Amino acid sequence: MTNQNNSVFRIPPYYFIHVLDLNENVTRLIIGPKTFVKQDNEKVVFGPEKMIIIPPNYYCIVENPVLRDDTNNVMFDKNKSVLLAFADTEIRFAREPFPLYPGEILKQNITPLRILPANSALRLKAILDFEEENGEKRVAGDEWLFEGPGTYIPRKEVSVEEQIRATTIKPNQAIRLRARKECTDRNGKERVTGEEWVVKKNGAYLPGAYEEVVSVVDAYVLTEKRALHMRSLRTFTDDFGKKRLNGEEWLITLDDTETHIPSVYEEVVGVVDVTTLSSRQYAVILDPIGEDGKPQLGKKRLIKGEKSFFLQPGEKLEKGIQDVFVLGEDEGLILKCIEAFEDENKQQKSPGDRWMIKGPTDYVPPVEVEVVTRRKAIPLDENEGIYVRDIKSGKVRAIVGQTYMLNQDEELWEKQLPNDVEKLLAKDALAERNTRDSKNDTLKARVKSQVVTYRVPHNGAVQVYDYKEKKSRVVFGPDLVMLGPDEQFTLISISGDVPKKPNVIKALCLLLGPDFFTDIIQIETSDHARLSLKLSYSWYFKVNKEDDKEASKLFNVPDFVGDACKAVASRIRGAVASVGFDDFHKNSAKIIRASVFGLDEAGSIRKEFTFKQNNLVITSIDIQAVEPVDQRTRDSLQKSVQLAIEITTNSQEATAKHEAERAEQEARGKLERQKILDEAEAEKARRALLELQALSAAVESTGQAKAEAQSRAEAQKIEGEAAVEQARLKADAAKIEAQSELERLTHARNAELGYVREQNEIEISKQTQLSEVEVNKFKKMVDAIGAQTLREMATAGPDLQVKMLQALGLQSTLITDGSNPINLFNTANGLIGNFSPKKQKHNPEDDVD
């Protein structure tokens, strides 16, 4: 900030100030180095400020630049004020340091020039009309590229919109471009606004000024297992030179190209995987593509494996990939013709025809044939069967005890049974006869196409009625009932509970007995006493199983229990009505049996009662309870019973009281007698006590001295025995010590002898081994030198002497003292002595650990 109080301004080199003349109101520039003395009518409005220094490759922008003449001198007006180009800018590059004249503004500070690398460019836009150095005219709004490598020199007529970098197109890639306005691409082709195209050439691609990169498109790699499903967006000619219509779809496979980059006029609908069929598979193609490349709508094509293929656009598989029908010996296929054709046997098939093929074979249905179902032979035991219905005639028959396969005109028929019968079939007639049905019971589902079977238990009977033949049959157990298609079981509804209620028990099997049932009936005597009887009847059916007519009587009475109970109760009521209560109370069993069974000619009661309608025989009656029904009668009977009980109780009480008094008298006599005996025993004990007291007093007077003498004697005896025992123990201890020392010395001597013996043995073994080593060593030395060598060594000295003597002219000589023999081995030892190891003197102490 300028200090206006100073009148002297020292301006250093490359600095400047702006001075305002207050009289003329004109600002002038003062450049250093200079000492400026401010006048009173002057004012420093700016500075001292450093000049602007622009280094190389830098620039700055000055707003409102000064005007210069042709000689590059600054122009002034008549008032000596600098002329400025207002609202204009000037870009200044590297030059000598310069000041800012009054009115000039540094709009953009010193900025480095933009250096563009290769594969990049600046998109420039003209904001003013101008003409470039090469003579090309630019109109405001024009756009062009300044491509690198290079340094961009800015102009005031041009603005930089953006920097563009080249897009690298890799192998199997392309870029999709769009024209922002009408232009010519780099290949010289005219493009209209909005037009798109694809560039596939590998390398760096720099879009033009009016081009923009939409996306980078990756190529689809096609293999033997992948294909491309394409769709045309407009009519064009594809990369393979084929004309495609708008909306047309086609498939590109590996046979066409290895990779494919979609153009802008086609789109990839999806990637189609190959469909592979094995030798045991086939497929049916719907709406197949014909040889002319057009879809054959409504048609089908059969393809058998082994084969691999791609589904063309519009094609689809019917039911996907299907397995070949492999039929065994017990399997077959029901086929239906849906379109007229001629089969492999040259037989003409019409629509609607049905036929069956049987195995063993494998079968692939043609497109004109529909597989209705697959049949398998049903193996049946002799007690198993199925219901078969002919779909043409509607006739139903049962197949039992054989393996059977349904043909094309047959089907399994389900036999419907009432719910009660279904429940009873799942129960055991004999074991579960006393159980009642529960709503929560879950029944096992019956296969309704199988022949209904029922096991008749022993001593049971089941009636089956054939509604087609209108006749029935009775099956006696143990046996197995198998129902025909038109047969049904006769359902038996029997009374149950106590007293009997109708339709309580339902059954398929009628048990023939013997058995019993219980009922409660009410009767009234001649004196109007009403009683409730609980009776149990034993019964059985008397039937001739060989006679069908007699057997059918079993089921003539639907509820034989209820009818029998009613008939028996009627007879009992009639008999009791003519008898008083007392007589009935005394002879109830006889009266009831006589009323039910009747009397024979002799007046005796018969043994059984037979119902002729169904041959039911009642053999006995058990009276389980008799209770009055009227409350007053019941009270009177209860009072009489209580009185009888009270009389009996009093009698028993008197008898018990008399017996208790008698027992008490006997006990009292025994007590007195025992008391006398106890007193006598007490006197005897008292006498014995006095005698003992006298004896103890005598002993007390004489016993003290005797006790002292005896105690001294006993003490001395004990001391003597202790001394003897001590001497004996000392002798034993000395003996033990001597024996222990002897054993120790014996063991020590034995150990020493063993040690010396082992040491001697080891020494002997060692010397033996050393001698063997020396012998082997000497033998090996002799063998190594050889007999010839020893012989030559032995004769080497005499030979030398002979030669020396010969040289001296002597024939032979031998010099010896005559007492020592000549040792021929000394020479050998002299030769090989250096190789012999020195013998070490054995030290026995080394063997001792």
Side-chain angles (χ1 to χ4, degrees), residues 480-499:
L480 181 69
V481 179
M482 303 183 73
L483 290 186
D486 301 310
E487 291 181 334
Q488 292 287 348
F489 289 106
T490 298
L491 183 63
I492 304 173
S493 183
I494 306 174
S495 298
D497 292 339
V498 180

Side-chain angles (χ1 to χ4, degrees), residues 199-228:
V199 177
K200 302 179 181 179
K201 184 179 179 181
N202 291 339
Y205 182 83
L206 190 63
Y210 297 113
E211 299 174 1
E212 62 179 354
V213 178
V214 178
S215 62
V216 177
V217 183
D218 292 326
Y220 288 88
V221 179
L222 303 179
T223 63
E224 295 179 352
K225 298 182 179 180
R226 296 182 63 190
L228 282 182

Side-chain angles (χ1 to χ4, degrees), residues 147-158:
E147 299 181 10
T151 302
Y152 173 68
I153 306 300
R155 297 178 61 113
K156 66 178 182 179
E157 300 90 354
V158 179

Side-chain angles (χ1 to χ4, degrees), residues 789-803 827 831:
T789 305
L790 291 175
R791 185 166 51 251
E792 292 177 357
M793 291 172 61
T795 59
D799 289 344
L800 183 62
Q801 292 175 2
V802 169
K803 290 179 180 180
T827 303
L831 293 175

